[in-house]
Amino acid sequence: MERPRRGLIVREPYASWIVEGRKTWEIRKHPTRVRGPIGIITGGRLIGEVEVADVLGPFSARELKAHEAKHRAGGFLEAYAQGRPLWAWVLKNPRRYEKPLPVPPRKGRRMWVDLSDVWPAAPPTREKEG
């Protein structure tokens, strides 16, 4: 898989669940045209990567309750949606990095982060699969 060029900021515990493969839908208020590998950033560190394979929706928070095992958001969805439609970003091929990489702080509130200045000369070491 190619290196992600952008990273998504995600709160814990959701970020860890994504790179561990336990959370396969990321619920957002907007769809995305992004497909392919993205980094997962939490607490100022790039902890792994995943591929955005598709975007489904729009859904109501109530409709998403039937998919709890995929998004793991629980009762949080109603408050997050505030009556608006939600989108499920379908994730696959998660990988947690053995050693998270620091991500330089960016000014302002952001969802996407440019990762072009994060990568060392060699790719990060990944946990063995299997």
Side-chain angles (χ1 to χ4, degrees):
M1 181 163 38
E2 67 183 83
R3 286 184 181 164
R5 293 179 302 206
R6 66 181 82 196
L8 181 67
I9 297 173
V10 181
R11 292 181 185 179
E12 285 292 6
Y14 308 109
S16 288
W17 292 347
I18 288 170
V19 298
E20 292 165 1
R22 296 172 42 199
K23 178 174 166 49
T24 58
W25 283 13
E26 173 65 3
I27 305 302
R28 294 287 171 148
K29 294 179 183 175
H30 304 284
T32 182
R33 288 181 274 167
V34 172
R35 298 294 184 277
I38 63 168
I40 300 298
I41 300 166
T42 191
R45 298 171 64 78
L46 178 64
I47 65 167
E49 62 189 72
V50 68
E51 288 181 52
V52 178
D54 200 3
V55 175
L56 305 176
F59 295 102
S60 68
R62 192 170 84 175
E63 289 172 318
L64 284 169
K65 286 181 184 178
H67 302 281
E68 168 67 25
K70 295 175 187 169
H71 60 72
R72 306 179 66 88
F76 172 71
L77 287 178
E78 293 284 343
Y80 177 67
Q82 298 177 342
R84 297 186 191 136
L86 297 171
W87 303 85
W89 299 8
V90 180
L91 310 174
K92 67 177 191 173
N93 297 325
R95 297 177 190 270
R96 178 184 278 278
Y97 295 158
E98 218 172 273
K99 294 183 180 180
L101 300 170
V103 176
R106 307 302 202 276
K107 292 187 180 200
R109 188 171 173 181
R110 296 180 172 259
M111 178 171 61
W112 291 107
V113 174
D114 177 4
L115 295 176
S116 59
D117 61 344
V118 172
W119 297 107
T125 306
R126 298 181 179 149
E127 286 186 1
K128 293 179 183 176
E129 294 182 33

